[in-house]
Amino acid sequence: NVYQRGLVAKNVKASDILKDHSSYCDVEKEVKKFDGITLAYVTPWNNHGYDIAKIFSHKFTYVSPVWLQIVRKTTNNYEIKGKHDINSVWAAEVARSGSVAIVPRIIFDGWTSADMQTFFSTESEMGACIESIIDITVRKNFDGVVIELWSQNMGRYKDETIHFMGHLHQAMRELNKKIILVLPPPITRGNIKSGVLTQLDFSRLIKFVDAISLMTYDYSEPSRPGPNSPINWVEACVDFLEPNISSPIRKKILIGLNFYGYQFSNHATFHAVMGKQYLEILSAHKPKIHWENSTAEHYIKYRAKSNDYLLYYPTLLSIDMRIRLAKKLGVGISIWEIGQGLDYFYDLL
Ligand SMILES: *[C@@H]1O[C@H](CO)[C@@H](O)[C@H](O)[C@H]1NC(C)=O
Ligand SMILES: *[C@@H]1O[C@H](CO)[C@@H](O)[C@H](O)[C@H]1NC(C)=O
């Protein structure tokens, strides 16, 4: 595995990453080393994740394919979109090979503020929405769902969302289905408590879910190039939500690990970088790989077509340190997403 091969290190070379990235430990591919909950997202647009989910199914507690959106059609009428992306054959194979629960993400996407207001205004509207979620879960034999509803409202409709989650939880529990909620980081750059998610919000929501997928990434912005997920910030987010390290609630918090990177240019452009693109950049420019101790991330700098680039992409060491942090904090992990990473990352999980 990557530890025995000495690859989990501060000093790494581009040539080593290029040589080693696709060699994972075949003997241990069915061994889950991290004992907390592990959630892995899979997207149809990076379909290598479908293979990763099968190869390493024993390392994941939950696999969440990003297939579905829910929209409001008319009065008491909600529709699940994205059904054409559902791949039941693959889901059955993944579920069979490990003891993985398949929990597709359902995002409340493209809602107008009028939709949101109407949805939260009556029990029958929320009930109809829950029926649609239950219907697809049962009909497709999913083990549960991941719900993405909180961030969109930027701190509005908190009481209503908590109320809705209470009903959804009850309906799912009767069917023995899991429910996971996506939440934004409670603290933003510069140690600012955004207020979008408070400790009180968290403590009211946590009892209605099996886990929280906490989006502890996307820390930097085009105007402020920098790391994706400084390690101290991740720790601060967990401590803020549940300060008591002995609390059993802790294990329901899944800190977010990005398996993508970000590239910043000197012209304030900024885009996400997948594993495959990172390898192309390493191959073309052979940059020196620097370790940033304060954030526990590696970065590279290179110049191309008279632009200067700064690129943060996860490495074995940065991921290893976050897994060790998760162990120390008593929390789980959620990975966005397994189509974007490098194959040898999974030796760490
Ligand atoms: C922390 O959680 C444990 C386990 O639930 C509990 O026994 C303890 O009293 C809590 N400590 C504080 C300070 O709340
Ligand atoms: C590296 O960072 C850690 C954690 O932030 C700190 O404790 C340590 O002193 C730092 N080491 C150096 C060499 O700066």
Side-chain angles (χ1 to χ4, degrees):
N1 65 39
V2 289
Y3 297 101
Q4 292 155 338
R5 287 148 72 201
L7 303 180
V8 186
K10 283 182 189 170
N11 293 320
V12 285
K13 294 201 191 78
S15 57
D16 292 337
I17 293 176
L18 290 167
K19 177 162 62 70
D20 297 318
H21 70 88
S22 62
S23 325
Y24 58 84
C25 177
D26 199 53
V27 179
E28 291 179 359
K29 68 176 189 286
E30 297 185 352
V31 179
K32 187 176 192 295
K33 296 174 188 159
F34 172 64
D35 57 9
I37 296 175
T38 303
L39 166 70
Y41 289 100
V42 183
T43 63
W45 55 92
N46 286 317
N47 58 20
H48 183 50
Y50 287 118
D51 297 327
I52 294 290
K54 281 203 264 187
I55 299 170
F56 300 108
S57 59
H58 292 77
K59 294 179 182 271
F60 305 129
T61 318
Y62 297 108
V63 168
S64 181
V66 176
W67 287 330
L68 305 173
Q69 309 92 46
I70 190 160
V71 293
R72 184 172 182 275
K73 300 286 279 183
T74 54
T75 307
N76 294 335
N77 184 358
Y78 291 79
E79 188 192 350
I80 304 276
K81 298 180 113 177
K83 289 192 200 118
H84 56 272
D85 276 326
I86 296 177
N87 185 338
S88 299
V89 174
W90 166 83
E93 280 177 44
V94 174
R96 243 200 326 273
S97 60
S99 54
V100 187
I102 306 291
V103 290
R105 185 191 72 169
I106 301 180
I107 187 166
F108 288 60
D109 201 21
W111 287 45
T112 64
S113 57
D115 286 337
M116 210 49 97
Q117 185 148 17
T118 313
F119 164 64
F120 283 127
S121 65
T122 66
E123 294 292 337
S124 60
E125 286 285 337
M126 286 184 274
C129 178
I130 288 169
E131 266 175 45
S132 297
I133 294 171
I134 294 288
D135 177 65
I136 189 116
T137 306
V138 170
R139 230 155 15 88
K140 297 290 178 182
N141 199 23
F142 298 141
D143 300 299
V145 289
V146 172
I147 296 289
E148 187 159 351
L149 172 61
W150 192 269
S151 304
Q152 294 88 317
N153 287 321
M154 302 294 289
R156 295 170 68 213
Y157 301 116
K158 285 180 170 184
D159 289 342
E160 291 86 346
T161 307
I162 294 163
H163 178 87
F164 169 75
M165 289 303 295
H167 282 309
L168 180 59
H169 169 248
Q170 195 176 3
M172 296 294 269
R173 201 177 47 182
E174 279 167 15
L175 298 164
N176 199 22
K177 302 288 184 189
K178 302 290 182 186
I179 176 155
I180 296 166
L181 181 66
V182 179
L183 287 177
I187 298 170
T188 56
R189 232 193 130 82
N191 200 25
I192 295 160
K193 291 167 188 63
S194 71
V196 172
L197 178 68
T198 64
Q199 211 269 326
L200 179 62
D201 300 331
F202 173 81
S203 64
R204 293 170 72 197
L205 285 164
I206 195 73
K207 54 181 182 281
F208 298 138
V209 298
D210 294 284
I212 293 288
S213 176
L214 191 63
M215 300 165 79
T216 46
Y217 30 64
D218 299 345
Y219 181 84
S220 295
E221 305 157 20
S223 57
R224 294 161 180 270
N228 247 306
S229 181
I231 197 158
N232 294 341
W233 170 69
V234 176
E235 182 164 3
C237 287
V238 172
D239 284 339
F240 176 82
L241 293 176
E242 178 49 76
N244 183 353
I245 191 156
S246 322
S247 164
I249 282 171
R250 279 258 182 142
K251 63 178 188 300
K252 289 189 181 183
I253 302 174
L254 315 181
I255 56 173
L257 304 190
N258 53 291
F259 274 15
Y260 57 91
Y262 273 117
Q263 170 167 283
F264 305 87
S265 82
N266 55 332
H267 298 296
T269 65
F270 155 88
H271 62 84
V273 173
M274 312 297 128
K276 212 189 282 178
Q277 294 164 293
Y278 181 59
L279 297 172
E280 284 164 12
I281 291 165
L282 294 184
S283 175
H285 301 281
K286 301 282 184 319
K288 182 168 161 40
I289 301 176
H290 302 272
W291 176 251
E292 188 170 85
N293 185 63
S294 59
T295 61
E297 294 193 26
H298 277 108
Y299 64 91
I300 61 172
K301 286 177 168 176
Y302 70 98
R303 200 172 164 77
K305 297 194 180 111
S306 57
N307 287 321
D308 289 315
Y309 294 102
L310 171 66
L311 195 170
Y312 285 80
Y313 186 85
T315 57
L316 290 168
L317 182 62
S318 71
I319 297 165
D320 176 63
M321 287 182 68
R322 281 155 182 79
I323 293 170
R324 279 193 274 145
L325 174 69
K327 285 179 186 158
K328 182 184 101 175
L329 299 177
V331 300
I333 57 174
S334 53
I335 300 166
W336 185 275
E337 44 94 353
I338 60 174
Q340 303 180 342
L342 303 178
D343 289 1
Y344 70 173
F345 287 171
Y346 300 94
D347 280 13
L348 303 168
L349 302 181

